[in-house]
Amino acid sequence: MNPPNREKVLAVSAGWVAVVLNVVPGLGAGYLYQRRWTAYWITSALATAWFVAGAALSANAAAGTDPDNQLLGLLGLLLLSGITATEAGLCVKRVRACLDQSSTQ
């Protein structure tokens, strides 16, 4: 018996679970569910860079925290989670369509 390949594992995963996991906790948890390690590490690196940039900017700002900086940080993380959630859902659809097409031929 052959172990399932990467595409089959991705095709049988629930796309909505990956989308929800990328939105709710954010930071690419849906990629862990899909076993897409490269996408997870890229997302983690981007989120970490966003946190570091926010910390550096707040250290250079005045003693009080600026609400605009907080809003910018939140919007950046929301944008990251939205993009990763959309990409995770589309990837499942793309792999399923490819496997369906190859099985009909």
Side-chain angles (χ1 to χ4, degrees):
M1 183 170 191
N2 295 333
N5 63 8
R6 178 182 177 276
E7 286 79 20
K8 288 182 182 177
V9 169
L10 188 57
V12 298
S13 67
W16 69 270
V17 173
V19 169
V20 169
L21 286 173
N22 272 346
V23 170
V24 176
L27 308 177
Y31 292 138
L32 293 175
Y33 169 72
Q34 291 178 326
R35 295 185 180 116
R36 294 177 58 206
W37 311 118
T38 304
Y40 170 73
W41 287 113
I42 290 170
T43 303
S44 295
L46 288 172
T48 302
W50 194 253
F51 280 120
V52 169
L57 289 175
S58 68
N60 292 337
T65 57
D66 186 15
D68 291 339
N69 284 344
Q70 291 176 351
L71 182 62
L72 184 63
L74 178 62
L75 288 175
L77 292 177
L78 287 175
L79 179 67
L80 181 64
S81 68
I83 290 171
T84 59
T86 303
E87 193 276 333
L90 291 175
C91 186
V92 170
K93 282 186 175 183
R94 184 176 59 244
V95 168
R96 286 180 183 167
C98 184
L99 287 177
D100 286 344
Q101 186 180 26
S102 67
S103 67
T104 58
Q105 291 178 350

